[in-house]
Amino acid sequence: MWQFRQSRDINNIDRFVLLILFFGGIISIAILAEWWFRGEHIVNFPLFVILSTFFWYGIFRIILIWINYLRIKKPESVPAPKEGLSVAIFTTSAPGEPVSMFEKTLAALKNVTYPHTTYLLDSTQDQAFVDVAEKHGAVYLDLSNLPGAKAGKVNKALELTDEEFILILDPDHIAFPNFLDQTLGFFEDGKVGFVQVSQGYYNQYRSFTAAGAAEQTYTFYGPTQMGLFGYESSVAIGANCTFRRKALESIGGHAVALAEDLVTSMRIHAAGWKSVYNPVIVNRGLVPEEFGSFAKQQLKWSRGVFEVLFVELPKLFKKFTFWQKFSYSAIAFYYLTGMMTLFFILIPPLYFFTGIIPANMDFTEFLIRGSNVAFIALLVYLYVQKFLVHPETERGFHWRGMILKYSLWPVYFLGFVLALLNYKIPYIPTAKKAVIGSVTPFARPLIWYNILFLISVVMVFIDRRYFVPESELIFTSTRTWGMLGFSMLAFIQSMGGIFAAWGAMRLKEENPWEKIDVNHIITKKTKK
């Protein structure tokens, strides 16, 4: 875990295999589409339109992912200049964050070999943070009572400093000594506005939620970002990003928003700057360890990304390149999965309680045709794992991440509603320590759905056992059992989310950073 990692190189055989899989996937999707849109399948036209819109939007996202993989690219290594660059590292501290964590963070930054100045942007007004900054040679800046949360502190620090390049690092991240050696060389190209590196973690062992939260990021920080880089569209992710000061100044400073990293990235690209994504692990940080903290993080992100969809994207759209238009649109629409999931899980109860159904499709036929698409998607997913940054720990089916993604549909839906109402929520830093001892209220919608599912099963049994004529049982059996099977999948995934939420009751107090020896981080290059 504490050794320098980088993604493997891409060759022509990889590109050929991905191209073959892409065409196979397109053919399987075309076969599914021909069957899906047959006229005899339509029962309730408005509901069929909604169903088709959501379903085929999901298929369209899969196609975009496949297209993105066709351009996976890894930048040629560019050594950092031995001297001449002035570099600042900004990390922030906020009330409630443990001082002991900063002992490791600042000690690691002191070990970064490229000459730099570390700044602690503090809003706690706590003498302990002054002391820990002084102990590790960091410049302490009291930036309390500023608007704009993290971005507000960054912008004020930009006014108080003059370094040409700024690395923004989250306070829970522990940098490797060679961090800046993996970013600064790319700025030899005067058009590069920022250089982003991968993001690794060191506490995913702590819980089901921590493992799932990490799994959700592995592919993004590997082949997805590498594909975006191939289309000159790699995005900044807030942490582990090194900016050119001129690029930030050209957009009026770091964006102040809930999705501040995404907005900053969009504005820099819209201003004509290029970006580089270097798939290396040169630091590791924390993921939320329990379901409640993870849900709060995702609520902040979903609310912020919907604000991007409604406000920022329309303003900047014309200034993007062709692929930037697609990539930023895909990101901005990502959290619509909450509304889509809600619609899909309500279809079976709607049928059971009212008899209304959007379409008359044989569930077995759907599984046969849909399985072809799913099989190709699985092959692509497994193949691109060759380009994960640390495949020994990151490859797999990532089933915990999928369960968490499904289980957070109420959070994503809430983010959409709050954005529609323009309801403001505070910028809350991601929890650095787990909230132990209680099950979060974010699990309640999952519990309610499971109760609804069980009531539906009982009602279907009673209805078909005592009230449905025998002649009608045969006619409706395929549809009924198909709906029960469909809702059973949602039930099982909801149970997974409830299990993740219940994990907070079993967690034990621990500070994962205390186990780390920052003086024994290995910077030797390894390729897999």
Side-chain angles (χ1 to χ4, degrees):
M1 296 290 286
W2 297 101
Q3 181 174 355
F4 173 73
R5 305 282 178 173
Q6 61 179 324
S7 174
R8 55 155 287 179
D9 295 327
I10 302 96
N11 56 45
N12 289 332
I13 295 177
D14 295 323
R15 299 189 188 282
F16 178 74
V17 170
L18 289 172
L19 186 63
I20 293 299
L21 290 174
F22 171 76
F23 282 118
I26 293 299
I27 292 171
S28 66
I29 288 172
I31 293 172
L32 176 61
E34 185 278 329
W35 174 83
W36 179 281
F37 290 105
R38 292 176 183 175
E40 62 265 25
H41 288 162
I42 301 174
V43 176
N44 184 297
F45 185 75
L47 286 179
F48 181 79
V49 170
I50 297 173
L51 173 67
S52 299
T53 300
F54 284 157
F55 179 81
W56 287 98
Y57 166 73
I59 296 294
F60 179 68
R61 289 188 67 90
I62 292 174
I63 295 173
L64 281 182
I65 291 171
W66 291 348
I67 294 174
N68 187 59
Y69 289 157
L70 295 178
R71 292 289 293 272
I72 287 178
K73 181 180 178 181
K74 180 181 176 183
E76 295 290 334
S77 179
V78 182
K82 293 184 178 180
E83 57 183 21
L85 299 184
S86 58
V87 184
I89 300 179
F90 290 173
T91 191
T92 61
S93 51
E97 293 179 326
V99 177
S100 61
M101 182 179 71
F102 289 83
E103 288 280 358
K104 298 292 184 177
T105 301
L106 295 177
L109 290 177
K110 187 176 183 179
N111 289 344
V112 172
T113 54
Y114 198 90
H116 67 280
T117 302
T118 298
Y119 295 89
L120 179 60
L121 318 184
D122 181 60
S123 59
T124 68
Q125 295 183 313
D126 186 337
Q127 182 62 37
F129 286 89
V130 179
D131 295 340
V132 75
E134 182 179 352
K135 175 181 177 180
H136 296 290
V139 177
Y140 175 86
L141 297 178
D142 182 1
L143 302 180
S144 55
N145 301 317
L146 286 176
K150 173 185 171 181
K153 288 189 281 190
V154 168
N155 288 333
K156 185 62 178 180
L158 287 173
E159 297 177 10
L160 301 174
T161 60
D162 60 3
E163 284 84 358
E164 186 180 3
F165 301 98
I166 298 97
L167 164 61
I168 298 179
L169 196 77
D170 280 354
D172 58 284
H173 283 250
I174 295 177
F176 291 15
N178 62 332
F179 192 117
L180 293 173
D181 299 322
Q182 296 297 318
T183 63
L184 294 177
F186 297 110
F187 288 104
E188 286 186 4
D189 182 346
K191 295 181 180 180
V192 171
F194 65 84
V195 178
Q196 179 67 60
V197 299
S198 184
Q199 185 157 304
Y201 308 99
Y202 62 89
N203 70 325
Q204 57 264 56
Y205 68 90
R206 284 275 288 151
S207 66
F208 182 97
T209 296
E215 286 176 358
Q216 287 189 2
T217 69
Y218 292 152
T219 303
F220 177 77
Y221 291 127
T224 299
Q225 276 272 53
M226 293 169 71
L228 291 173
F229 174 61
Y231 287 103
E232 298 184 345
S233 302
S234 51
V235 299
I237 57 171
N240 317 331
C241 193
T242 307
F243 293 93
R244 188 189 297 271
R245 177 182 287 270
K246 289 182 180 178
L248 286 173
E249 291 176 343
S250 71
I251 62 170
H254 200 288
V256 177
L258 290 174
E260 54 190 13
D261 49 351
L262 179 61
V263 176
T264 301
S265 177
M266 294 172 69
R267 291 177 181 176
I268 288 177
H269 277 142
W273 296 94
K274 298 196 307 186
S275 61
V276 172
Y277 181 71
N278 192 15
V280 296
I281 290 181
V282 284
N283 80 321
R284 289 190 181 273
L286 298 174
V287 285
E289 295 181 352
E290 38 78 31
F291 192 79
S293 295
F294 187 56
K296 290 178 182 178
Q297 178 200 68
Q298 295 296 304
L299 177 61
K300 178 183 71 175
W301 289 357
S302 62
R303 171 65 180 85
V305 170
F306 278 123
E307 187 172 18
V308 167
L309 174 62
F310 297 146
V311 179
E312 201 71 24
L313 185 63
K315 291 192 299 185
L316 301 177
F317 192 78
K318 292 182 179 179
K319 299 180 181 179
F320 293 140
T321 64
F322 178 79
W323 189 253
Q324 285 170 356
K325 288 181 170 70
F326 272 106
S327 61
Y328 280 124
S329 296
I331 294 172
F333 279 96
Y334 174 79
Y335 288 107
L336 281 178
T337 54
M339 190 189 315
M340 293 167 56
T341 304
L342 175 61
F343 178 79
F344 283 120
I345 68 175
L346 287 181
I347 289 176
L350 179 68
Y351 171 69
F352 295 144
F353 287 104
T354 69
I356 297 175
I357 191 170
N360 183 24
M361 297 180 182
D362 185 274
F363 192 67
T364 303
E365 289 188 36
F366 171 74
L367 287 179
I368 293 172
R369 288 166 172 79
S371 63
N372 295 327
V373 179
F375 180 68
I376 296 293
L378 178 61
L379 290 180
V380 173
Y381 188 76
L382 294 177
Y383 191 85
V384 298
Q385 290 189 15
K386 297 172 66 174
F387 309 110
L388 295 175
V389 184
H390 191 186
E392 298 94 330
T393 62
E394 296 178 354
R395 66 163 61 98
F397 288 102
H398 303 155
W399 58 276
R400 285 164 295 203
M402 288 187 283
I403 285 176
L404 284 186
K405 180 179 178 180
Y406 168 84
S407 300
L408 288 171
W409 68 260
V411 173
Y412 302 153
F413 182 72
L414 177 59
F416 175 74
V417 173
L418 293 177
L420 280 181
L421 299 176
N422 197 27
Y423 185 86
K424 305 298 182 183
I425 63 175
Y427 183 98
I428 303 174
T430 300
K432 308 305 186 292
K433 298 183 69 174
V435 180
I436 297 174
S438 62
V439 177
T440 174
F442 286 105
R444 290 173 185 168
L446 304 178
I447 297 172
W448 294 337
Y449 171 75
N450 282 1
I451 293 173
L452 177 63
F453 168 78
L454 295 174
I455 292 173
S456 299
V457 170
V458 172
M459 289 190 62
V460 168
F461 174 78
I462 293 174
D463 185 52
R464 296 181 67 81
R465 177 69 175 82
Y466 297 106
F467 299 101
V468 178
E470 188 173 345
S471 59
E472 191 177 335
L473 286 175
I474 299 175
F475 178 73
T476 60
S477 61
T478 300
R479 180 186 299 176
T480 300
W481 297 118
M483 284 291 182
L484 280 175
F486 186 71
S487 56
M488 175 62 77
L489 294 176
F491 174 78
I492 293 172
Q493 293 190 5
S494 294
M495 287 300 297
I498 294 169
F499 175 79
W502 180 65
M505 302 290 291
R506 297 172 288 118
L507 267 176
K508 296 181 179 180
E509 288 281 355
E510 181 181 315
N511 295 329
W513 53 84
E514 293 179 353
K515 300 180 179 180
I516 300 166
D517 186 347
V518 300
N519 296 314
H520 287 83
I521 296 175
I522 301 171
T523 58
K524 179 182 178 181
K525 292 186 177 182
T526 59
K527 288 186 180 181
K528 298 295 179 183

